[in-house]
Amino acid sequence: MSSTPLDSVTLLTTKIGTLPNVTVRCCETDICSWKPILECIESRFDAYLEAENKPHRTNIIDNRIHACIYFIQPTGHSLKPLDIEFMRRLHSKVNLIPVIAKADTLTDDEVIAFKKRVLSDIAHHQIQIFEPPRYELDDDETISENREIMSKIPFAIVGSNTAVKTRDGRIVRAREYPWGIIEVDNEEHCDFVKLRQMLIRTHMEELKEKTSDVLYENYRSDKLMSMGVEQDQTVFKEVKYAPHTSHLYPLLTVFSPAVKQEEERQLHQAKLAKMESEMKLVFQQKVAEKEAKLKQSEDELYARHREMKETLEKQRRELEDRKQKLEMGRGIGGESGKRKGFSLGGR
């Protein structure tokens, strides 16, 4: 898919847009209308595979297609046989994103009912459409955002490149009718904002990762096996060449996407466990340091308390001694006065 300006953003590196030089006329009798698109996707996979097998792979240009926006006619009934076959042919090679085109031709109730029928047909025929991945460490906001995006699939879209002035003076992209306007960027009118949000803002990397880790790896494995390269079931080991093949290829390593994802999950869990143990160790060190400081402060307070207590006790003893001395002095003075008074009276 070529680069296409979308709301002032040129999606060059992610290859989301329209296929170049591919004109497909779909009708009920054209049973091979998906071939040009399928061939374009596979040719880009082949070009990437060829670049991977070259000696120098540092500057590989990724021209793989990471998303296919499949437009469904707003019939209001169910998917056509051609739609079903088209998506069945593509869902294993590209991230499928179903979209209901010209949704302004349906009422709100008809859109809801049509979405349910489309999802029912997709599930019945086991067609894999792109779903935002769920991670264990996602916060509540991310989970709520993904749930809201998933609730809009298939996206009901209204398109327009015409600027229209609303009654309140705003300039918006919209379709104008005698009874009013339908704004492209208004979530109450259509799902374009959610589609743009998923493609550009929230799930661009997830689209690329699924293409690279799942869709391309499956295609690569099938391609190599069709060339006579047998995949080693132990994975991550060198593969053996089939005896009947007459071609010599560089020594290749074939990966199973499922095993690779499990390996990455285990590595991620080990990394998280290591980080958790390190954080616990740091926490324990911080707690030990805090406890040591508290113990030191407690000892200092206790020493000051004991010192003050000893000082007060010493002062109390000194006061007691002075009190006793004063009392003894008063007693001696009183006896001498009495004796003097008695001797004077005798005379």
Side-chain angles (χ1 to χ4, degrees):
M1 294 184 180
S2 64
S3 59
T4 301
L6 180 59
D7 202 25
S8 301
V9 177
T10 302
L11 302 178
L12 180 62
T13 58
T14 55
K15 306 299 179 296
I16 301 175
T18 56
L19 286 171
N21 304 323
V22 176
T23 301
V24 181
R25 296 186 178 274
C26 298
C27 61
E28 297 296 338
T29 58
D30 189 1
I31 60 174
C32 298
S33 57
W34 56 80
K35 278 190 174 182
I37 297 177
L38 190 61
E39 289 173 356
C40 181
I41 295 172
E42 291 181 347
S43 66
R44 297 186 180 221
F45 278 168
D46 291 336
Y48 193 86
L49 177 60
E50 182 181 357
E52 277 189 328
N53 292 332
K54 291 182 178 179
H56 302 287
R57 302 184 297 175
T58 55
N59 297 321
I60 297 179
I61 299 176
D62 187 3
N63 286 320
R64 294 172 296 182
I65 298 169
H66 300 294
C68 174
I69 302 175
Y70 189 84
F71 287 87
I72 301 170
Q73 292 183 2
T75 60
H77 303 294
S78 59
L79 290 176
K80 296 180 180 180
L82 181 61
D83 292 328
I84 295 172
E85 187 62 25
F86 210 116
M87 288 192 285
R88 286 182 60 187
R89 296 277 181 165
L90 294 180
H91 76 110
S92 62
K93 304 293 176 62
V94 69
N95 294 305
L96 270 180
I97 302 174
V99 166
I100 299 174
K102 300 180 180 179
D104 53 336
T105 61
L106 303 173
T107 65
D108 292 342
D109 294 337
E110 288 174 341
V111 168
I112 294 173
F114 189 40
K115 283 186 175 185
K116 291 181 179 178
R117 294 192 189 99
V118 170
L119 291 177
S120 177
D121 289 343
I122 287 174
H124 177 73
H125 293 282
Q126 299 180 350
I127 298 172
Q128 300 295 326
I129 61 176
F130 175 75
E131 295 183 6
R134 301 175 180 87
Y135 301 106
E136 296 180 0
L137 301 179
D138 283 345
D139 54 19
D140 294 337
E141 183 180 356
T142 302
I143 294 173
S144 176
E145 185 178 46
N146 288 341
R147 188 181 295 116
E148 186 176 0
I149 290 176
M150 285 300 300
S151 67
K152 300 296 184 181
I153 296 177
F155 299 97
I157 299 300
V158 176
S160 175
N161 56 3
T162 303
V164 178
K165 187 175 183 179
T166 62
R167 293 180 179 179
D168 55 1
R170 294 181 297 114
I171 304 297
V172 297
R173 288 185 301 171
R175 299 185 69 86
E176 192 170 10
Y177 295 95
W179 43 264
I181 64 172
I182 296 181
E183 298 179 23
V184 174
D185 299 302
N186 191 333
E187 294 189 43
E188 295 181 358
H189 295 178
C190 72
D191 300 329
F192 176 78
V193 173
K194 290 299 180 187
L195 175 62
R196 180 181 60 190
Q197 179 180 354
M198 185 182 74
L199 290 175
I200 301 175
R201 298 176 182 172
T202 59
H203 295 91
M204 178 182 290
E205 290 302 320
E206 282 77 3
L207 287 165
K208 296 170 66 177
E209 287 176 2
K210 184 178 179 182
T211 299
S212 179
D213 298 340
V214 180
L215 303 175
Y216 170 72
E217 284 297 331
N218 289 335
Y219 178 82
R220 179 177 179 272
S221 298
D222 294 340
K223 185 75 173 180
L224 293 176
M225 292 177 68
S226 67
M227 294 190 302
V229 180
E230 294 182 354
Q231 182 175 1
D232 190 349
Q233 298 301 321
T234 58
V235 185
F236 302 111
K237 291 186 177 181
E238 297 174 352
V239 298
K240 298 178 180 180
Y241 295 97
H244 59 274
T245 180
S246 59
H247 301 282
L248 294 178
Y249 299 98
L251 200 58
L252 301 174
T253 304
V254 180
F255 301 99
S256 170
V259 176
K260 182 180 179 181
Q261 287 184 346
E262 179 65 21
E263 185 78 12
E264 291 178 351
R265 187 185 67 82
Q266 292 178 359
L267 291 174
H268 183 64
Q269 289 182 346
K271 183 179 179 180
L272 289 178
K274 182 180 178 182
M275 291 175 62
E276 183 179 1
S277 62
E278 291 177 351
M279 291 177 65
K280 285 182 178 179
L281 181 61
V282 172
F283 178 74
Q284 291 174 356
Q285 291 176 352
K286 294 290 185 181
V287 170
E289 292 176 0
K290 194 68 175 178
E291 289 178 347
K293 290 182 179 179
L294 291 174
K295 180 66 175 175
Q296 183 180 358
S297 300
E298 184 179 0
D299 293 340
E300 291 177 356
L301 289 173
Y302 181 74
R304 290 176 60 187
H305 174 71
R306 183 175 57 187
E307 183 180 353
M308 293 176 64
K309 186 176 179 181
E310 291 176 353
T311 303
L312 290 174
E313 183 65 22
K314 182 179 179 181
Q315 291 178 356
R316 189 186 65 81
R317 288 197 300 267
E318 291 178 354
L319 290 173
E320 288 289 338
D321 293 341
R322 293 172 65 180
K323 180 180 178 181
Q324 290 178 4
K325 290 179 180 179
L326 288 173
E327 289 178 352
M328 290 176 62
R330 287 178 182 177
I332 295 173
E335 291 178 359
S336 61
K338 289 180 180 180
R339 289 176 182 177
K340 291 179 180 180
F342 178 76
S343 62
L344 291 173
R347 291 180 181 176

